[in-house]
Amino acid sequence: MYTQLDIETHLGGKLQIAFLNQPETYNSLNKTSLTELKKFVHECSIDDNVRCIAISGRGKAFCSGQNLKDALSLGDPEEDRIIQRMVIDYYNPLVKEIANAKKPVISLVNGPAVGAGAMLALICDISLATESAYFSQAFVNIGLIPDTGGTYWLPKLLGRQQANYLAFTGKKLSAAEAKSLGLIADVFEDENFMVNAMGILEQISNLPTRAIALTKKAFNESYENSLGQQLDVEGILQQEAAETEDFREGVSAFLEKRKPNYKGK
């Protein structure tokens, strides 16, 4: 089914992890891997058995960004608009798939994340990284601008000054620096990374999946809404959450003083 992803299934299918599996190129992205990632996220999003989606990398790197040889194989950069076509046809659909996924999407950054690889990690709902990982908006080093949602998310996550600084210089950020700036959620020692990450993934896989999806939807809409509009969104989505089986289970468990058993429905 997948030629450039290695898929692991955990927790009886509730957790699905896609590993970029081109370690010889430090998991550089190409048309095939981008298409397969989009397909993976989409299929997990619509699968009622899946409660959590994760993306990581095999080998020493998370992702080194776009494979330039693959991109340039499409034709002449100026004559054929190949970079624009690559962004529109392959990157943008993946960004939208992750943003609109009905399940939480978590990046497990096991090593360097560079250019589009850095943005692939950062556009996920939660990013967890090893201490040795680093992030670089290296687009400027080859005369390009941040894509893969970079010009949308970086100013919102960092503010104008820091976004400009990282985008203009391509500075390498350590995982600890990225966490301190709010770019990623948490950092773990390399030797304990997967143990700690799996604990978080298992926790999220057992929580009310619909409520998480609705929270994600509300957060995404907040970037475009006024306060009044967002309060209206909260009312609508809160009612939708209140009509789920998991809400009824949560209330029953609270009243009965027991641990809830959420089904993600």
Side-chain angles (χ1 to χ4, degrees), residues 86-236:
M86 192 77 189
V87 169
I88 291 173
D89 294 342
Y90 296 95
Y91 281 96
N92 291 356
L94 174 60
V95 173
K96 292 176 183 177
E97 196 69 58
I98 291 173
N100 295 325
K102 295 178 175 144
K103 314 293 167 60
V105 183
I106 299 173
S107 59
L108 307 180
V109 187
N110 57 298
V114 179
M119 287 314 307
L120 173 61
L122 299 177
I123 62 175
C124 292
D125 302 314
I126 296 174
S127 298
L128 307 173
T130 63
E131 282 186 335
S132 64
Y134 67 80
F135 301 80
S136 173
Q137 299 299 319
F139 301 94
V140 70
N141 294 335
I142 55 171
L144 294 178
I145 72 167
D147 57 24
T148 321
T151 62
Y152 181 84
W153 281 114
L154 290 176
K156 292 175 173 61
L157 292 170
L158 296 169
R160 177 171 170 267
Q161 287 286 327
Q162 285 293 332
N164 284 341
Y165 183 36
L166 296 182
F168 293 178
T169 66
K171 175 186 175 181
K172 291 182 181 179
L173 277 183
S174 69
E177 289 174 312
K179 181 183 177 183
S180 71
L181 288 171
L183 272 177
I184 65 174
D186 216 341
V187 180
F188 301 107
E189 295 177 349
D190 288 36
E191 56 269 27
N192 299 318
F193 176 64
M194 285 307 296
V195 172
N196 286 307
M198 287 299 293
I200 294 169
L201 295 177
E202 181 174 357
Q203 177 188 6
I204 292 174
S205 296
N206 289 318
L207 290 172
T209 310
R210 292 280 302 284
I212 291 174
L214 293 171
T215 300
K216 176 176 174 175
K217 179 178 174 64
F219 282 164
N220 285 341
E221 293 190 18
S222 74
Y223 289 105
E224 309 295 336
N225 287 343
S226 66
L227 173 60
Q229 291 171 323
Q230 193 62 23
L231 292 174
D232 290 340
V233 168
E234 287 182 4
I236 293 168

Side-chain angles (χ1 to χ4, degrees), residues 19-33:
F19 291 86
L20 295 167
N21 195 27
Q22 299 291 305
E24 67 279 2
T25 65
Y26 299 102
N27 297 321
S28 63
L29 298 168
N30 55 53
K31 297 183 288 294
T32 300
S33 59

